[in-house]
Amino acid sequence: MYDMKWIRDNPEAFDTGLKRRGLEALSSKILEMDKEYRAMQTAQQELQSKRNALSSQIGSVKKQGGDVEAIMKEVSEIKNKMADMDEQVRQKGLEIFETLSALPNTPDASCPEGFDDKTNVVIRQVGQKPTFGFTPKEHDELGFGLGMMNVEQAGRVSGARFTYLKGPLARLERALGQFMIDLHTTEHGYTEMEVPLMVKDDAAFGTGQLPKFREDLFQTTNGFWLIPTAEVSLTNYVAGRILDEKELPIRVTALTPCFRSEAGSAGRDTRGMFRQHQFYKDELVSIVAPEKSFEELERMTKCAEEVLQKLGLAYQVVCLSAGDMSFTSHKTYDLEVWLPGQNKYREISSCSNCGSFQARRMDARFKKNGEKGTQYVHTLNGSGVAVGRALIAVMENYQQEDGSIVVPEVLRPYMGGLEIIKPIK
RNA sequence: GGAAAGGUGGCAGAGUGGUCGAAUGCGGCAGACUCGAAAUCUGUUGUACAGCAUGUCUGUACCGAGGGUUCGAAUCCCUCCCUUUCCGCCA
């Protein structure tokens, strides 16, 4: 959500931001609406002021036993005008709100130009891609070969984009999740949270899923939204609050299932469990003072990278181009992990600095020591990392010619010491 | 799910139709006293928006949320949300 004052002061920057997102300039239209709105508001307030003055006059005149007929008549005339005025102000306010709440965040100056992944810029590549003396398989083939992944039966039970995992492979996924959250809580200063998986409209609006992306979400019959990411619950932890400067930065993490309808991605990544309606993810969220958010984005990205490094996975860090970022983001780094079976780098994490965009939507502010007034916090979120995709990456990178999977060192304590996952005979 | 009681400023808590943005206490901040601190005393202390005369300015709104009644609502009515207690059900 944009700050109208900022648009007033920076109409060109606002339009440039929209343009870089592939949208047309709107500043003149919005500022026109704003001007009308404020004029209406002023008129409305004058009427209210008059009414208040007369009303309190009625009180005191009555007390002295005077006649209030004339004053009451005057007030009722004002009231008639007010009803009209109120409605106009309400309409205009709503129009502005709806316009603004549908606009994506401004890209940072450092984001590359472009509207899709073709223009994204690789910042660094880390780790060694494994070499194989055979043609590496994709994860679904490996899982099937192990006898521990069943998409077909999941299809019968739940439809497309669901998977059964079994035995050691199921445990490997759980091990990955545990490993990640332990790493972030013990080494990266994040506090573990257990969060609601179902949220109300306001929460989904706050993090930017609503109103524009409702078709991407699942909703229960009584109106709850299933979280598509723990970002929603974690970030809304500060919704509607005025924090003390001392409380910042807030760094929280949660390992949760995520639910996504994947509307609009029909036919994409239909093999295996790369793109599911339901998957685990360890999410990182930071709530920081405005001047700290860029530094925090680098830090958060490093925390996510560390997961891949410890797992011995090769990856690249990509800076998303202005038009390829999510709705709420001001600047985003994606981590793309090397998948030998697919012979490609694929997204496994996305770390975003949302600036005050979400904070404004959810009204999350903080107070600076000794200063008057409040400021909006900056919010950041990042996957640290997607567990299902990490499982895919481990399977593909650690596969052996016979289809077995070597368990990465760091996961063995979580696997009861198991070193290799062998096919069920 | 049923019944009851509630939701007021950072916290506690008063206020049940008019001078109430709201008593009082605690806390916070500033000052006095003190070598310093504690105690004590004095003052001060919400947020957002609009306006211009840009000010220790004026106005408007906000007492869970949204509607309604009224000249006037923290106060009355309706709906919803949430909390607490009891009962029922339940992983």
Side-chain angles (χ1 to χ4, degrees):
Chain A
M1 180 72 89
Y2 283 88
D3 176 13
M4 187 58 89
K5 258 187 253 159
W6 182 82
I7 301 177
R8 258 179 241 149
D9 296 340
N10 305 278
E12 331 71 30
F14 174 70
D15 283 337
T16 305
L18 293 181
K19 206 174 137 205
R20 294 178 71 204
R21 286 275 193 175
L23 300 169
E24 49 186 87
L26 279 174
S27 67
S28 55
K29 186 185 152 206
I30 287 174
L31 290 177
E32 186 53 39
M33 287 197 284
D34 178 48
K35 213 170 137 188
E36 290 170 31
Y37 178 66
R38 283 193 291 162
M40 287 175 188
Q41 221 177 335
T42 304
Q44 181 194 35
Q45 288 182 3
E46 270 165 25
L47 286 176
Q48 286 170 332
S49 182
K50 235 187 261 178
R51 179 207 55 190
N52 290 347
L54 290 172
S55 287
S56 68
Q57 224 180 334
I58 291 175
S60 50
V61 170
K62 257 188 176 170
K63 241 177 217 166
Q64 291 159 13
D67 183 23
V68 292
E69 272 306 307
I71 309 176
M72 280 177 73
K73 205 180 153 202
E74 201 178 336
V75 178
S76 72
E77 272 164 29
I78 291 174
K79 263 194 83 180
N80 288 339
K81 278 193 226 158
M82 274 178 67
D84 247 28
M85 206 68 233
D86 289 350
E87 182 55 21
Q88 277 185 49
V89 170
R90 204 186 63 82
Q91 283 292 344
K92 189 56 76 175
L94 195 67
E95 192 186 331
I96 291 173
F97 177 80
E98 277 171 0
T99 306
L100 290 185
S101 63
L103 296 177
N105 203 351
T106 310
D108 185 61
S110 66
C111 301
E113 300 301 325
F115 305 107
D116 54 41
D117 56 7
K118 290 187 205 71
T119 47
N120 293 348
V121 172
V122 176
I123 304 288
R124 55 183 172 269
Q125 294 189 319
V126 181
Q128 199 90 50
K129 294 179 191 169
T131 51
F132 298 92
F134 55 95
T135 307
K137 299 188 177 93
E138 291 197 42
H139 76 280
D140 56 314
E141 204 180 334
L142 288 163
F144 181 73
L146 288 167
M148 299 179 195
M149 185 183 287
N150 194 331
V151 176
E152 196 181 291
Q153 187 62 19
R156 263 180 227 126
V157 174
S158 299
R161 299 204 189 282
F162 288 94
T163 304
Y164 279 106
L165 297 178
K166 182 175 163 185
L169 199 57
R171 186 172 186 182
L172 184 62
E173 177 166 53
R174 183 160 57 88
L176 277 162
Q178 302 300 319
F179 160 69
M180 290 174 199
I181 196 153
D182 282 349
L183 178 69
H184 296 309
T185 53
T186 60
E187 291 183 31
H188 296 153
Y190 284 84
T191 301
E192 180 167 359
M193 303 286 283
E194 176 71 28
V195 301
L197 304 181
M198 299 187 279
V199 299
K200 297 195 284 190
D201 289 9
D202 285 352
F205 178 85
T207 35
Q209 280 73 32
L210 294 183
K212 271 193 92 175
F213 304 103
R214 55 170 47 231
E215 65 284 355
D216 295 336
L217 304 175
F218 288 113
Q219 190 171 30
T220 67
T221 51
N222 55 349
F224 287 117
W225 301 97
L226 300 188
I227 58 168
T229 157
E231 168 199 345
V232 178
S233 310
L234 287 174
T235 311
N236 275 286
Y237 188 60
V238 296
R241 289 164 62 181
I242 300 176
L243 302 161
D244 196 290
E245 189 182 18
K246 290 194 290 272
E247 296 176 71
L248 304 179
I250 292 173
R251 296 193 177 104
V252 284
T253 183
L255 175 65
T256 71
C258 305
F259 304 95
R260 299 188 181 179
S261 76
E262 293 298 341
S265 47
R268 273 187 20 222
D269 302 308
T270 48
R271 285 186 63 178
M273 53 179 288
F274 189 83
R275 190 177 297 276
Q276 302 272 281
H277 283 310
Q278 169 199 324
F279 59 95
Y280 280 94
K281 180 161 57 64
D282 186 346
E283 183 74 0
L284 305 171
V285 161
S286 297
I287 313 293
V288 303
E291 66 275 13
K292 295 281 170 59
S293 64
F294 279 100
E295 171 186 328
E296 185 70 13
L297 177 63
E298 301 299 324
R299 184 190 189 277
M300 176 179 272
T301 307
K302 291 272 160 56
C303 292
E305 287 183 64
E306 182 98 7
V307 171
L308 302 181
Q309 287 172 21
K310 286 214 173 348
L311 288 171
L313 298 169
Y315 65 90
Q316 59 185 15
V317 182
V318 173
C319 187
L320 295 196
S321 41
D324 195 34
M325 294 193 298
S326 70
F327 183 73
T328 53
S329 182
H330 179 58
K331 181 170 184 174
T332 297
Y333 292 124
D334 272 8
L335 303 189
E336 297 178 348
V337 71
W338 177 250
L339 296 184
Q342 288 195 22
N343 198 36
K344 273 182 206 158
Y345 284 104
R346 296 299 306 266
E347 180 185 344
I348 194 167
S349 169
S350 193
C351 300
S352 300
N353 177 5
C354 298
S356 57
F357 190 84
Q358 291 179 322
R360 212 169 277 115
R361 292 171 88 91
M362 64 175 71
D363 195 25
R365 292 169 287 166
F366 77 105
K367 215 179 179 88
K368 274 207 164 169
N369 272 340
E371 276 183 34
K372 272 215 143 199
T374 56
Q375 290 183 50
Y376 287 103
V377 296
H378 278 197
T379 64
L380 298 96
N381 62 80
S383 358
V385 300
V387 177
R389 290 192 179 176
L391 178 70
I392 292 172
V394 167
M395 289 173 76
E396 292 197 9
N397 281 276
Y398 284 86
Q399 62 180 292
Q400 308 293 297
E401 190 156 18
D402 66 355
S404 60
I405 312 286
V406 173
V407 177
E409 294 276 353
V410 291
L411 296 182
R412 289 179 193 173
Y414 295 95
M415 294 289 288
L418 187 70
E419 291 175 18
I420 187 160
I421 298 175
K422 290 186 176 144
I424 294 172
K425 295 254 167 61

